[in-house]
Amino acid sequence: MNQVLLIFLPVLFALFVPLLYKTFSRIHTGWFVLLVPLTLAIYYARFIPNITEGPYTSTFYWVKSLDLSVTSYLDGLSLLFSLLITIIGSLVVLYSIFYLDRKKEQLHNFYFYLLMFMTAMLGVVQSDHLISLYLFWELTSISSFLLIGYWYNRDRSRFGALKSMMITVFGGLMMLGGFLLLAQAGGSYSIRELIANGSVIADSPYFIWMIVLILLGAFTKSAQFPFYIWLPDAMEAPTPVSAYLHSATMVKAGIYLVARLTPLFAVSEYWIWLVVLSGLITLFWGSFFAVKQTDLKGILAFSTVSQLGMIMAMLGAAGIAFHVESPQKTIFAFAAYAAIFHLVNHATFKGSLFMVAGIVDHETGTRDIRKLGGLMSLMPISFTIAAIGSLAMAGLPPFNGFLSKELFLTSMLSLKEFSLFNFSTWGPILPWVAFVASIFTFVYCLYFLYYTFMGKGNTSKLPKKPHEAPIGMLISPIILASLVVAIFFIPNVIGKYFIKPAVLAMQPQLYETIDDIPIHVQAWHGWTTELQMTIGIVVIGFLLFITLKKWQPIYRFVSEKWSLNGLYNRLMRFADVDSQKLSNLYMTGSMRHYLMYMFAFMVVAVISTLFMSNGFNYSTANTAEVGIFEIATLIVMIIGTLTVLIARTRLTAIIALGAVGYSVALFFIIFNAPDLALTQLVIETVSVALFLLAFYHLPKMSRHEERMPFKINNFLIALGVGVMVTLVALSAQSQKLLPSISQYYKDTVYTKAGGGNIVNVILVDYRGFDTLFEITVLAIAGMAILGMIKLRRPKKEKKTHETK
Amino acid sequence: MEVVMSFAIGFLFMAAVYLILSKSILRIIIGTGLLSHGAHLLILTMGGLGGEAPPVLADGVTNMADPLPQALILTAIVISFGVTAFFLVLAYRAYQELGTDNLDEIRRILADDD
């Protein structure tokens, strides 16, 4: 139970943040906030030694009758992510204390959003229930939106926030659809139970839909091709946010989801192909375009995209382990280890690089790589951290990136040997893609490092006079950079306590205990193909970097043509402007048009229903005879109606309407309805009198001659309505299915109600409520008429009221 | 007789809809008047026109007209009268304020005010 509540600890603490901000305004609010991730990190760290002894679960029922619960499920994979979130969270909060100014910034907002995000992220990685996973997933989107738009008076911040929101929420909704299909097929919302029930789900006809929809969610969140475009724009957020959300945690939610569901979906070749291909394309695309960027954080954003693609590709390769036999199996099982290992490494070095970019921005006033340069001697500590981070990212020894990149190349090379699902045809290309992408990775790492700190930068022209950052700001990146080096020397300690439990959780079918995972990472692993490839990467990458100035201009040509941002903008404009144009086409504001739509729709709907359901019927059985009086009255009525239609003066029209009304009264007499005839006569008289009363005030009977097409349209619609009514009337009277209930009224009108006039007794006795409310209607109409005539607002007053 | 009445009612509806679709407010109100006549006759016709005597208890009368549709129509007549009177005054006030009874012009005037 307390394990679930700890997920909510940050957001509960966030409620007190505004209070702390106001009360202790002399202390930076971040110091209080720092306690939360630290506490959580210590709590989760206690699980490390014995996480393999079984998952720790704890459930909080939310809506029990709907089987909705928040279940915290801690196994190796969740624990690894929880530790990443809390440890990097602590470091980021520490960094932000020195990065954000206590007096100038609205700290309570910042920390509120950040803590909300922390809860959301812990919820995503620990949830076992699909719906609560989705809720936390969307909460990460919302808090990310708020954090990107933190400086909300800047246009670019708002644009970036909206863009990330649109794309990640689109993916989130698709994912929800996939989840619902999954729960439907598997009969449960619990991920554990679904995985145990995997074979049933694989037989579902919607299996492929689940895969595509859930992967859409994972790809949008993890900035995979072609959904990566929100990440570079999200760099408008404060740098601690970029370091935390957009490199170490949130963008790995998609990675987490893919890893978590691999045991369920890896039986499908579509899953493997989609994950591997999108990963490799993203890897190449991101690394290729990172060299184009001139903004420090822009480079880092594209490199994050590229590295996430690399992890994704390895996860796809890991799925193959479910299809092959030993000894090939070991190679692909390897890929899972490599993916998780690189995920940890990326969080360390990318976090430190973002923090360095923030320091450079903070101390020089710019992040533009064209203005920077030559900072090495002025900021030696930052330079050291940046060098460690970039070289780790480039995959050079003695940094952790080297180890995970070797593992990556191993798993990509093994794709060549896999023969199922057409991999024998296309497989050999894949390592080459990885190779080329790694070369570009090497190039942008050098590009980042060289043009910021080395070279002949003119430091006097910078907006601020650069100097080394305060020590508090450097603590977090120093810790991360030391981790980068430390992991290189003790990879197997990390492997035993962090990576292997996570691999065990991801591939439970393959291993019993962590000792079954036959992986021992070594820096020197022999004169292998991977090492030769690394040497090739370094040599070609170095040559490319030296000639950078010569080939960099090609980006101007390439990027304009292949811009996904252009597509996104067009799509947004289409949704906004063009759909408004579309609705302006038919929402004309003219009541007559709307009436036409309604009548036309009614005619089409009723007549087609009538004929499609064989409803039309015609019979003259049980009808009354046609008499001479009826025909005569009918002729009067029709002449009256025609006169109304062609009348040129209002007097003629009113009198003709009266004639129609009196002929209706005559019909009532002929058809034995004396009360109706009386009422109709009186009402018609009063109506005509009313028309005549208003006669002088009413407008002249201007017919406002219409253009011919309009007349024909109106006539056709009117004809349609007439035909419809006639058809419905004919069919209705031709097939009476049940006898009328009126016999009861006739039988009991005297014995039970004590009256002789059945119509009147019905009105005041059997169905008295109708009459009560009909009286109310008349009263309301009377009062409304009185109000309309009596209450008038002078025109002047109206104006002033409107201007208010 | 019901068949003939069905056609007559269809004609009334057609005339009413044509008037409702026109530009002038007065013609629209007259159209609604015709529409309610059509509807009332439709209810009566659908109840059957076969009765030989009014639905009033009297000695020796067996084949009375159906009383229920008549009660419904009576209610409907009163309500449609209330609504027509209200519309009429509304049209009168609109004409007074805006100086036109042309729907298209009213739309233009209101759009200019915004």
Side-chain angles (χ1 to χ4, degrees):
Chain A
M1 187 63 198
N2 54 359
Q3 196 184 313
V4 176
L5 287 183
L6 278 179
I7 294 180
F8 294 98
L9 178 71
V11 82
L12 289 177
F13 187 84
L15 295 176
F16 297 101
V17 164
L19 193 72
L20 290 170
Y21 176 69
K22 294 264 153 64
T23 320
F24 303 99
S25 56
R26 302 191 57 190
I27 307 169
H28 198 287
T29 318
W31 291 111
F32 302 109
V33 174
L34 185 57
L35 291 174
V36 178
L38 268 182
T39 316
L40 288 174
I42 292 165
Y43 176 80
Y44 290 125
R46 287 193 309 135
F47 284 101
I48 297 173
N50 43 10
I51 187 65
T52 49
E53 282 164 22
Y56 296 87
T57 60
S58 135
T59 303
F60 165 71
Y61 280 102
W62 176 24
V63 185
K64 206 162 186 176
S65 57
L66 291 177
D67 188 28
L68 279 181
S69 63
V70 180
T71 302
S72 161
Y73 176 78
L74 263 187
D75 61 357
L77 193 62
S78 311
L79 183 69
L80 178 81
F81 273 91
S82 302
L83 282 168
L84 269 183
I85 293 159
T86 49
I87 293 173
I88 307 242
S90 313
L91 295 174
V92 162
V93 171
L94 181 66
Y95 175 79
S96 72
I97 292 172
F98 296 92
Y99 186 84
L100 293 172
D101 194 282
R102 177 163 57 85
K103 297 194 183 93
K104 290 179 198 152
E105 302 286 352
Q106 297 187 308
L107 293 175
H108 54 307
N109 287 350
F110 181 79
Y111 287 112
F112 191 101
Y113 303 153
L114 200 70
L115 286 169
M116 190 163 98
F117 171 77
M118 213 175 276
T119 285
M121 204 58 214
L122 285 174
V124 166
V125 299
Q126 292 184 11
S127 283
D128 183 53
H129 193 281
L130 286 177
I131 299 297
S132 57
L133 170 58
Y134 169 74
L135 282 174
F136 286 121
W137 184 278
E138 292 297 33
L139 193 60
T140 64
S141 296
I142 292 166
S143 44
S144 160
F145 168 78
L146 291 169
L147 283 166
I148 297 169
Y150 173 65
W151 286 310
Y152 52 80
N153 36 17
R154 298 183 189 171
D155 278 343
R156 291 198 52 78
S157 291
R158 293 201 302 271
F159 175 76
L162 189 64
K163 190 170 181 178
S164 73
M165 182 83 161
M166 291 300 289
I167 294 176
T168 52
V169 168
F170 161 75
L173 284 173
M174 294 296 121
M175 191 184 78
L176 176 64
F179 280 175
L180 293 178
L181 285 176
L182 183 59
Q184 201 69 32
S188 165
Y189 278 104
S190 158
I191 297 174
R192 266 174 303 165
E193 288 172 28
L194 287 169
I195 289 176
N197 211 4
S199 54
V200 180
I201 294 164
D203 292 337
S204 161
Y206 301 112
F207 192 54
I208 179 78
W209 282 103
M210 294 174 209
I211 290 176
V212 170
L213 290 174
I214 292 177
L215 279 183
L216 266 178
F219 288 172
T220 50
K221 200 71 159 182
S222 283
Q224 298 294 295
F225 183 86
F227 305 111
Y228 70 87
I229 50 173
W230 64 268
L231 190 62
D233 283 308
M235 291 299 128
E236 293 303 318
T239 303
V241 173
S242 310
Y244 189 38
L245 273 69
H246 306 127
S247 73
T249 53
M250 188 180 88
V251 287
K252 292 192 173 127
I255 303 275
Y256 166 79
L257 193 70
V258 170
R260 174 58 81 201
L261 297 178
T262 293
L264 195 58
F265 288 125
V267 293
S268 158
E269 60 172 306
Y270 300 108
W271 171 272
I272 291 169
W273 264 114
L274 277 172
V275 176
V276 168
L277 269 189
S278 85
L280 278 175
I281 294 171
T282 315
L283 165 66
F284 170 73
W285 195 275
S287 63
F288 183 64
F289 282 103
V291 191
K292 178 202 163 202
Q293 308 300 317
T294 53
D295 176 31
L296 282 186
K297 283 172 84 178
I299 302 174
L300 292 178
F302 273 90
S303 91
T304 301
V305 168
S306 154
Q307 303 275 315
L308 289 170
M310 176 170 163
I311 299 173
M312 205 58 104
M314 287 190 270
L315 285 179
I320 297 177
F322 291 85
H323 295 276
V324 288
E325 294 298 316
S326 297
Q328 263 190 319
K329 196 172 192 166
T330 14
I331 302 172
F332 289 109
F334 211 68
Y337 185 93
I340 310 266
F341 189 39
H342 191 69
L343 184 131
V344 175
N345 294 343
H346 177 249
T348 56
F349 64 66
K350 193 50 68 65
S352 70
L353 283 176
F354 265 110
M355 289 176 185
V356 168
I359 288 172
V360 170
D361 187 14
H362 208 265
E363 303 305 330
T364 65
T366 182
R367 296 195 315 243
D368 193 326
I369 208 159
R370 290 166 299 191
K371 295 181 188 158
L372 292 166
L375 293 174
M376 191 160 82
S377 53
L378 292 167
M379 306 170 75
I381 304 176
S382 311
F383 167 69
T384 315
I385 298 165
I388 293 173
S390 329
L391 295 180
M393 187 154 70
L396 291 183
F399 307 110
N400 58 8
F402 173 71
L403 303 175
S404 46
K405 204 202 50 225
E406 296 300 290
L407 295 179
F408 166 65
L409 292 175
T410 312
S411 52
M412 286 301 116
L413 281 171
S414 61
L415 285 179
K416 278 196 302 189
E417 292 153 33
F418 182 56
S419 51
L420 236 57
F421 311 146
N422 295 328
F423 261 95
S424 47
T425 331
W426 300 103
I429 303 170
L430 302 180
W432 283 104
V433 177
F435 180 66
V436 175
S438 300
I439 292 173
F440 278 105
T441 307
F442 188 84
V443 174
Y444 74 67
C445 291
L446 282 189
Y447 174 69
F448 176 82
L449 192 61
Y450 185 86
Y451 285 98
T452 313
F453 291 100
M454 297 187 253
K456 301 189 289 278
N458 190 348
T459 50
S460 56
K461 275 190 180 171
L462 291 167
K464 286 186 190 170
K465 191 170 157 40
H467 55 82
E468 187 55 271
I471 184 69
M473 218 174 195
L474 289 168
I475 296 173
S476 300
I478 287 176
I479 293 174
L480 286 172
S482 347
L483 277 175
V484 169
V485 182
I487 292 175
F488 178 79
F489 290 107
I490 49 160
N492 294 309
V493 178
I494 303 288
K496 186 181 170 203
Y497 287 110
F498 294 94
I499 319 286
K500 284 187 181 176
V503 172
L504 193 65
M506 192 181 146
Q507 299 178 313
Q509 292 95 326
L510 302 183
Y511 312 108
E512 295 279 317
T513 64
I514 55 165
D515 298 328
D516 296 347
I517 304 174
I519 298 169
H520 189 77
V521 182
Q522 280 173 306
W524 175 252
H525 44 80
W527 186 248
T528 52
T529 326
E530 295 90 304
L531 197 61
Q532 291 160 15
M533 279 172 87
T534 304
I535 292 170
I537 289 166
V538 172
V539 171
I540 301 174
F542 199 70
L543 289 176
L544 274 178
F545 177 69
I546 293 171
T547 54
L548 183 68
K549 288 284 174 221
K550 295 199 176 88
W551 59 270
Q552 208 182 18
I554 61 161
Y555 281 111
R556 268 179 229 138
F557 170 71
V558 177
S559 66
E560 291 303 318
K561 214 170 178 183
W562 299 90
S563 158
L564 283 164
N565 283 317
L567 187 70
Y568 169 84
N569 290 336
R570 269 201 299 281
L571 206 69
M572 283 292 127
R573 202 167 37 240
F574 174 75
D576 187 9
V577 179
D578 290 340
S579 59
Q580 196 184 6
K581 270 186 204 158
L582 183 69
S583 49
N584 281 348
L585 271 186
Y586 61 90
M587 298 304 286
T588 54
S590 159
M591 197 179 74
R592 302 199 301 149
H593 289 143
Y594 304 155
L595 282 172
M596 273 187 204
Y597 305 150
M598 287 188 247
F599 282 127
F601 173 78
M602 204 162 65
V603 168
V604 171
V606 170
I607 293 186
S608 56
T609 311
L610 203 58
F611 281 97
M612 278 193 303
S613 56
N614 277 329
F616 182 68
N617 220 319
Y618 176 74
S619 93
T620 49
N622 298 322
T623 54
E625 279 175 35
V626 182
I628 182 74
F629 293 122
E630 287 94 321
I631 296 300
T633 317
L634 204 61
I635 290 169
V636 172
M637 193 178 81
I638 287 170
I639 291 174
T641 311
L642 285 174
T643 317
V644 172
L645 284 178
I646 59 171
R648 291 202 168 271
T649 69
R650 44 197 170 148
L651 195 59
T652 323
I654 290 168
I655 289 173
L657 182 66
V660 176
Y662 288 127
S663 60
V664 172
L666 273 179
F667 272 122
F668 288 152
I669 293 171
I670 294 168
F671 295 131
N672 296 314
D675 299 297
L676 286 187
L678 271 175
T679 317
Q680 179 67 30
L681 277 174
V682 173
I683 292 272
E684 200 55 45
T685 313
V686 174
S687 293
V688 171
L690 205 64
F691 271 100
L692 292 178
L693 198 67
F695 187 82
Y696 282 110
H697 304 288
L698 286 176
K700 291 264 183 318
M701 187 72 187
S702 44
R703 297 198 49 191
H704 306 295
E705 281 300 335
E706 315 237 12
R707 280 175 291 123
M708 208 53 196
F710 238 112
K711 264 188 182 171
I712 292 176
N713 269 343
N714 288 354
F715 174 72
L716 283 178
I717 289 172
L719 183 71
V721 172
V723 169
M724 174 190 85
V725 171
T726 305
L727 284 178
V728 170
L730 286 175
S731 333
Q733 66 87 18
S734 302
Q735 38 192 351
K736 285 189 178 154
L737 302 175
L738 295 167
S740 166
I741 57 164
S742 295
Q743 195 54 48
Y744 171 77
Y745 296 135
K746 291 174 188 168
D747 293 343
T748 61
V749 67
Y750 187 72
T751 52
K752 293 208 167 159
N757 185 331
I758 307 179
V759 174
N760 288 2
V761 172
I762 289 177
L763 281 175
V764 296
D765 191 322
Y766 292 113
R767 301 178 57 91
F769 273 120
D770 287 1
T771 314
L772 174 66
F773 292 112
E774 149 198 349
I775 293 167
T776 316
V777 168
L778 265 193
I780 290 172
M783 283 188 281
I785 290 169
L786 192 71
M788 264 197 303
I789 293 174
K790 287 270 177 191
L791 301 178
R792 295 189 190 193
R793 213 166 36 184
K795 285 218 163 169
K796 262 189 182 173
E797 194 189 319
K798 186 178 148 198
K799 282 278 180 200
T800 53
H801 180 77
E802 273 177 359
T803 47
K804 270 179 204 167
Chain B
M1 192 62 220
E2 280 89 341
V3 177
V4 180
M5 285 308 285
S6 297
F7 282 97
I9 291 161
F11 177 73
L12 272 180
F13 268 85
M14 187 182 86
V17 169
Y18 186 78
L19 286 170
I20 287 174
L21 288 176
S22 65
K23 281 184 194 168
S24 141
I25 292 187
L26 193 59
R27 280 164 72 87
I28 292 174
I29 296 175
I30 292 173
T32 55
L34 284 182
L35 196 70
S36 44
H37 288 322
H40 300 156
L41 284 179
L42 183 66
I43 300 176
L44 192 74
T45 311
M46 291 303 99
L49 301 173
E52 281 168 4
V56 178
L57 283 191
D59 290 335
V61 175
T62 48
N63 187 9
M64 280 185 278
D66 195 337
L68 190 58
Q70 297 190 10
L72 297 180
I73 294 168
L74 202 60
T75 311
I77 289 177
V78 176
I79 289 175
S80 70
F81 168 69
V83 174
T84 309
F86 175 76
F87 274 171
L88 197 64
V89 177
L90 191 65
Y92 157 65
R93 289 285 292 128
Y95 180 63
Q96 230 179 15
E97 288 284 321
L98 302 169
T100 178
D101 70 327
N102 186 332
L103 274 187
D104 288 352
E105 272 179 44
I106 290 175
R107 179 162 64 103
R108 199 172 43 74
I109 293 168
L110 293 179
D112 287 350
D113 273 4
D114 286 344

